[in-house]
Amino acid sequence: MRTKNLASILLVIVVVATALVAQTPRRPLKLDDLARLREVRDPQVSPDGQWVAYVVATIDSKEDKSNSHIWMVGYDGKNDRQITFSNDSETGPRWSSDGKYLSFTSSRPGKAKGSQVWLLDRSGGEAYQLSELKGRLQGYEWSPDSKRLAMVIGDPDPEAEAAASPAPGPPKPPKPIVIDRYRYKQDGQGYLLSGRHSYIYLFDIATKKLDRLTKSKWDESSPSWSRDGARIAFMSNHADDPDRDPAAQLFVADATPGATEKQLSSPTNRASRARPEWSPDGKWIVFLEGDEKKYGAYSMEHLMFVPADGSAAPTRVKAVEDLDRGVSGLRFRGASLNFFVSDDRSVYPASLTGNAVQRLMNPPVVVSSWTSGGDHTVLLSGNDTKPTEVYAMEGKALRQITHQNDALIAELEIAQTEEVSFKSKDGTEVHGLLTYPIGYVKGNKVPFLLRIHGGPNGQDQHSFSVERQVFAANGYAVLAVNYRGSSGRGQKYSRSIFADWGHYEVEDLQAGVDHVIQLGVADPDRLGVGGWSYGAILTDYMIASDTRFKGATSGAGTAFTVAFYGTDQYIIQYDHEIGPPWNPKAWETYQKISYPFLHADRIKTPTLFLGGERDFNVPVQGGQQMYQALRSLGVDTQLIIYPNENHGISRPSYVRDRYERYLAWYDKYVKKNPVPAKNTTEAGTR
C-alpha cells in the first residue's frame, strides 16, 4: 500500500514538474544571447549520402573572437557531434570522392604556417597536416579518383613572411607600398599589388608534390573536375588589364601539370567567378554570366550552357531567362540541372530538364549551399523565426537535421514577421517585411524603425534577422523594404536607379513608412531610420529628404559621392555608371546624388554615424564628413569608429557595442526615453 501511494505521489510530482517546465514563459531576446547564437554553414554530404560534415561558428566572449569547428551528423539527424577541437578555427570540410577521408582547412600549428589542408582518415586516428604551402590557400577540390587536389593558391606576401620570421637586431621598417594598378583596393585584402597572382595547382596526395596546372600569367579560380578526372574547368581573365574589366571567362585544361588552357566563353561573355559545373556525361559545362560592365552594381546572374569541347558558343536557356530572376548554386542531379532562384523575399530551388523549368519548393522559403551524395541532398535553410540549420531536401519538403540553435530559440519569444506590399509615388508596387514588436497588441501605435538593406543589389528575405529581432525585443516595429535597385524583382526593377541614386529608392522607402503608419502600427511621432553600407547611403538620403525621423543611425555610408572617386573599391562603377568627375555631364550627376552633404542644412534628425577604421569598401571618411557637417550645423550627432575593423564589423565585443549604441540612440530620440550609451562621450565628441 505504501509502495503504491509513493508511486502515485512520485507520478504527481513528475506531472506537476513537467507542467511547470512547459509553462515557463518565453522571454525576449537579450544582447547576452548574441554570444549563444551559432552560425551553421558549408554542409558537405558524404559520397554514400549517410553523413553530413558542416561548420559551426561560435563566439568566445572571454577571448573576444569567433571560432569555427567541424561537426558531423548522420543523414537521419542522429549522432551529431563536434569532430575538431583545436584552439584555431577549422573550415572548408570536403569529402574525398571515395569517402575514406574528410579534409578541412586550418591555421592550427603544424609543419607549415598559414591556412593548410588537414586530413582525417575515416577509419580512425587524429587529423594530420597534408599540405605545407607557402602561399595563400583560397580553395580546393578533390579529384574523382581521390588521388589529387586542385588547389587555388595565391602568391605569398614577402613582407608578411619577413614579419613572421624577423631577422636578429632592430626591426626593419616596412617597405613603401607601391601602387600601379587601376583598381588597387579591396576590403579585407587591403592594397592590391602588381606581380602577385592566384593560380590553380595540382597536389598529389601520396607524394605531396605540388605542380602548376597551367603556365598562364593571369589569375585563376573556381576549379571544377570533369567526372572522369581528365580535365579541369576554371575561371580566369586574360585581358591585357583585367582591372578595367574584371569579368571572368571560362577555360578548360587537361588535368596535367603545365597544360595549355582552352577558352570556351567568348570575350562578350561576362562570366562570374562562381564554380562551373560539368554535366554527368562530360559533354557540357554550365556557368554563370553577369550583365554588361556599366550595370555591374545591378548585375543579375544568367545561366549559360557551352559544349565542353568548345565546338559552339555559350547559350542561354530561354525558360530560365523568362524567369527574369538571378540564379545560383548550379548542380547536376542525373539529367537535370538544379539551381537556386532569388525571387521576391525568397530563394527557392528549381530544376531544368530539357527546356522546362520546375520549381522544387514554393515560397516563402530561403535555401542555400546544397550538396548531394548517394540519393540524398542536404542544404541550409531557416526562416523568419528560426536561424539557419542543415536540412534534408526530400521531395518538396525539408527535414531539419541539425539543431544547433533549438535550445536557445526554445527560451525566446520570437517576434513575428509578415509580408507587406504597397504602391510607391509613381505607382510602382514595392514589397517588404514588417516585424512586430514582442507583445504587440493590434491597434496600438508603437515606435517604428525603417532599417534599410545594403547592396543595393540584394534583398531582405524570409531568413532569421538578428537585427530585426533585437529591435523587436526592445519594443520597435521594424520595416525592411526591397526598394528599387534591390534584387529578386527582375532586371528592370534593379536597374531603375542607374546613375540616379537617392530618387526612386527614397520614394519607395517613404511609401513603406506611410503604409505602416496607415496600418495603425507605426506611431508617426516616433519614427527612426538606419542602415549599413548602401543602407547608410539611403539613410543619409532619407534624413535629407524627410524631417519626420526623430533619430537615425548611418553606418559605413557616403554622402559626398565625388569625394570617393579613387578612395574606395568602386572605380569601375564610377567610370562606367556615372562617369569621371572631369566630364561635365558626370559632374552634374555627382552634384545631384550628393545632396545629403551639399544640402546638409536640410537635415534636422539627430544621427549616429559609425564605421570601421580599415574599411576599404566604404571608407570611414563618409561618416566623418556627415558627422562634421551636422556638428557644424548644431544637429545632435556622434561618430563611432571601430579600430582595425573592415566593412563588416566582426569583433564580438564591437558587434554588441554597435547594438547597444543603436538602442541607446533610438531610445533617446525615437522613444524619447534616454538610456545611457556605452562610453558615448569618448567615442565621437570631446
Side-chain angles (χ1 to χ4, degrees), residues 52-210:
V52 181
Y54 64 103
V55 177
V56 178
T58 58
I59 291 175
D60 184 338
S61 298
K62 184 178 179 181
E63 297 293 329
D64 198 15
K65 67 175 185 177
S66 61
N67 292 317
S68 300
H69 296 296
I70 312 298
W71 285 62
M72 189 181 298
V73 63
Y75 178 77
D76 57 7
K78 299 178 180 178
N79 201 19
D80 192 10
R81 64 194 189 279
Q82 183 176 334
I83 61 173
T84 63
F85 297 88
S86 78
N87 293 325
D88 296 89
S89 291
E90 298 92 13
T91 58
R94 297 293 183 269
W95 296 91
S96 62
S97 304
D98 57 15
K100 293 181 179 179
Y101 298 99
L102 178 66
S103 58
F104 59 86
T105 60
S106 179
S107 298
R108 56 169 70 176
K111 297 178 182 178
K113 296 181 180 180
S115 182
Q116 304 290 339
V117 177
W118 293 68
L119 215 56
L120 265 172
D121 190 326
R122 293 290 293 125
S123 63
E126 296 292 327
Y128 62 93
Q129 185 175 321
L130 179 66
S131 67
E132 299 179 22
L133 309 176
K134 293 183 178 180
R136 299 165 287 119
L137 177 63
Q138 299 171 11
Y140 71 103
E141 181 171 304
W142 283 89
S143 65
D145 63 6
S146 301
K147 295 181 179 180
R148 294 186 292 174
L149 300 176
M151 293 178 160
V152 180
I153 305 172
D155 289 339
D157 180 356
E159 287 287 296
E161 286 189 343
S165 303
K172 294 183 178 180
K175 294 181 179 179
I177 299 171
V178 179
I179 303 295
D180 59 2
R181 291 177 58 169
Y182 171 67
R183 184 176 179 273
Y184 69 96
K185 301 179 84 171
Q186 179 66 44
D187 192 55
Q189 295 183 38
Y191 294 107
L192 306 178
L193 306 180
S194 296
R196 293 177 59 194
H197 296 282
S198 297
Y199 300 120
I200 296 173
Y201 290 79
L202 299 174
F203 181 87
D204 187 272
I205 303 295
T207 64
K208 297 187 178 181
K209 187 179 180 183
L210 188 69

Side-chain angles (χ1 to χ4, degrees), residues 261-275:
E261 67 273 28
K262 180 178 182 179
Q263 184 172 333
L264 298 188
S265 57
S266 67
T268 58
N269 294 123
R270 298 184 51 76
S272 79
R273 290 276 175 175
R275 176 186 177 276

Side-chain angles (χ1 to χ4, degrees), residues 322-557:
D322 287 345
L323 296 174
D324 191 24
R325 296 293 186 269
V327 299
S328 61
L330 310 180
R331 291 291 184 272
F332 271 103
R333 289 289 284 166
S336 298
L337 176 67
N338 294 348
F339 51 92
F340 297 131
V341 181
S342 297
D343 181 26
D344 192 13
R345 296 164 288 192
S346 286
V347 180
Y348 65 81
S351 178
L352 175 68
T353 305
N355 293 314
V357 173
Q358 178 186 5
R359 182 179 290 181
L360 301 180
M361 202 167 292
N362 293 322
V365 66
V366 174
V367 293
S368 64
S369 304
W370 55 10
T371 174
S372 299
D375 295 326
H376 297 154
T377 295
V378 302
L379 44 68
L380 295 178
S381 188
N383 55 40
D384 295 310
T385 60
K386 292 187 68 173
T388 298
E389 298 279 358
V390 179
Y391 287 78
M393 183 176 172
E394 299 173 335
K396 289 193 173 184
L398 294 177
R399 174 176 57 81
Q400 188 173 343
I401 294 178
T402 66
H403 301 269
Q404 293 286 339
N405 290 291
D406 283 10
L408 173 60
I409 297 302
E411 299 176 19
L412 304 177
E413 184 178 1
I414 300 298
Q416 297 303 302
T417 297
E418 67 178 29
E419 294 186 351
V420 290
S421 300
F422 44 87
K423 294 292 181 66
S424 192
K425 182 178 180 180
D426 63 355
T428 299
E429 184 172 308
V430 181
H431 300 162
L433 296 168
L434 176 61
T435 300
Y436 291 91
I438 296 296
Y440 179 72
V441 177
K442 188 174 181 179
N444 285 356
K445 296 180 180 180
V446 297
F448 167 86
L449 299 179
L450 172 66
R451 295 295 299 180
I452 310 171
H453 73 72
N457 192 18
Q459 65 169 358
D460 282 307
Q461 57 196 25
H462 287 289
S463 53
F464 191 79
S465 169
V466 174
E467 179 180 281
R468 294 201 294 266
Q469 291 296 328
V470 166
F471 290 132
N474 284 273
Y476 294 93
V478 187
L479 177 65
V481 175
N482 287 324
Y483 51 85
R484 271 173 280 187
S486 302
S487 59
R489 292 288 305 280
Q491 188 177 84
K492 181 180 178 182
Y493 191 89
S494 180
R495 289 184 181 180
S496 61
I497 69 169
F498 178 84
D500 190 21
W501 310 344
H503 177 196
Y504 292 121
E505 314 101 296
V506 170
E507 293 180 358
D508 296 349
L509 293 166
Q510 287 178 320
V513 175
D514 293 340
H515 178 71
V516 182
I517 291 174
Q518 292 167 5
L519 290 175
V521 176
D523 183 343
D525 294 323
R526 292 185 291 174
L527 304 178
V529 63
W532 197 267
S533 194
Y534 199 75
I537 294 173
L538 288 180
T539 295
D540 295 343
Y541 282 128
M542 290 296 288
I543 60 177
S545 306
D546 194 331
T547 58
R548 290 180 296 174
F549 297 102
K550 307 303 181 184
T553 66
S554 177

Side-chain angles (χ1 to χ4, degrees), residues 211-222:
D211 294 297
R212 275 278 318 272
L213 172 66
T214 73
K215 296 179 181 179
S216 172
K217 62 180 181 180
W218 296 278
D219 288 302
E220 301 165 339
S221 65
S222 313

